[in-house]
Amino acid sequence: MSDERITIAHGHGGLASHRLISDAFLSVYTSPELEQLDDAAVMRLPYERIAFSTDSFVVQPIFFPGGDIGKLAVAGTVNDVSVMGARPLVISVGFILEEGLLISDLEKIVQSMATECRRAGVRIATGDTKVVPKGAADKIFINTTGIGIRRKDVTLSGSNAKPGQAVILTGPAGDHGAAIVCARNDLKVSGEVLSDCRSLTDLIDDILDASGQSVSVMRDPTRGGVATTLNEISKASAVGIEIDEESVPIRDNTRAVSEILGFDPLYLANEGAILVFCDEEAVDIVLGVCSAHPSGEHAARIGTVRNDVDGKVVLRTATGGRRIMDMLAGEMLPRIC
Ligand code: MG
């Protein structure tokens, strides 16, 4: 059915819907819960602490260098569960398909979701598909919800940053945002700009295994980038954060794209890097774990939590100046994820 397109009949719940579900989804996603095709997945979760997160993905274009909307939908939800110190177990997938979508495009996206699920160690336990008339959506929108089992040894939260702690960024800032703007504007720089989109379950697990209680905050700087996420944490924890501009890892290509289009890379989204707040004595341990991991090889300490900068995020610039880095105002790039 690869050269066919999505028709309204695929969303009517009849024969065409059943064929789509069995050919496009069930043959790719293998999970005991999904195969039952009941109205809800039934599973045993004999644990006290569950992390539960949902996110919708409307990224445009749906295929971009380094990923696609499907990989992003799995990685985005898996990472939101993981940064709370939970091991993602199952996810749900809701598709909204626009009439006319190429079924071969849907198949690529479904395959890429299956690959990312395997990488992250999660199963798709339940799902839904709706088809809307041409023009009522843009090709494909995906909602994913994830459930994970929280580790017993963590108390991670955006409100747990403490003065004196170090701020570590596990990968170069802004790569996802830069890749999307390049793809959207057909912009060429010297090398390809790849999105960092990926599940970080393993990296996060390794960091928590090695440093346990000395990590108190983990968050993925997605929409609004590193600058906005740091503002969220500084507000939630009622602390100031000082960032050393020169120490923030930024790829040359991301910097070049940002300069051409007038963006600050610290406000461009990441989809495969996290901010880690840890005690000073754990900095070398966390950086050591990151450097041994393919998703963390560019990790760097980028700043320090302070109690003397008045609840603000302050950037110490290369020339020794200091300026306040506010939360992103308005939307710089719509439909980034
Ligand atoms: Mg998040």
Side-chain angles (χ1 to χ4, degrees), residues 92-227:
S92 72
V93 178
F95 290 107
I96 295 176
L97 309 178
E98 184 193 17
E99 176 189 15
L101 173 72
L102 276 171
I103 290 187
S104 57
D105 282 350
L106 176 63
E107 285 172 345
K108 273 186 233 161
I109 290 164
V110 168
Q111 282 294 350
S112 141
M113 293 180 82
T115 303
E116 201 56 28
C117 282
R118 277 193 293 278
R119 195 173 294 148
V122 293
R123 303 190 301 276
I124 292 175
T126 182
D128 177 55
T129 311
K130 295 287 189 300
V131 178
V132 296
K134 200 159 187 53
D138 188 3
K139 295 189 178 80
I140 177 169
F141 296 155
I142 304 177
N143 172 273
T144 43
T145 297
I147 296 178
I149 309 303
R150 203 165 198 223
R151 302 167 66 112
K152 289 191 170 55
D153 58 345
V154 297
T155 51
L156 295 168
S157 164
S159 56
N160 282 351
K162 296 179 221 24
Q165 282 189 317
V167 181
I168 290 169
L169 178 63
T170 64
D175 281 358
H176 177 71
I180 296 295
V181 280
C182 280
R184 223 179 263 173
N185 297 299
D186 205 20
L187 189 67
K188 299 271 185 291
V189 289
S190 60
E192 196 173 26
V193 181
L194 293 179
S195 165
D196 57 348
C197 165
R198 68 176 64 115
S199 309
L200 297 171
T201 315
D202 288 348
L203 175 65
I204 291 168
D205 247 8
D206 290 352
I207 290 173
L208 292 174
D209 281 345
S211 57
Q213 300 284 341
S214 18
V215 174
S216 69
V217 183
M218 281 190 178
R219 191 167 285 186
D220 51 343
T222 54
R223 269 178 303 179
V226 168

Side-chain angles (χ1 to χ4, degrees), residues 41-97:
V42 176
M43 67 199 86
R44 230 176 263 282
L45 295 175
Y47 302 94
E48 276 175 29
R49 302 208 301 171
I50 303 286
F52 183 38
S53 180
T54 192
D55 209 343
S56 298
F57 296 85
V58 299
V59 66
Q60 187 273 320
I62 57 175
F63 297 100
F64 49 82
D68 58 67
I69 190 170
K71 181 183 184 189
L72 185 62
V74 173
T77 288
V78 156
N79 289 343
D80 276 345
V81 170
S82 300
V83 292
M84 292 304 294
R87 171 50 84 163
L89 196 64
V90 287
I91 63 172
S92 72
V93 178
F95 290 107
I96 295 176
L97 309 178

Side-chain angles (χ1 to χ4, degrees), residues 314-327:
V314 173
L315 187 73
R316 201 172 61 239
T317 64
T319 53
R322 283 156 65 97
R323 67 177 168 87
I324 289 176
M325 210 164 47
D326 270 328
M327 200 170 271

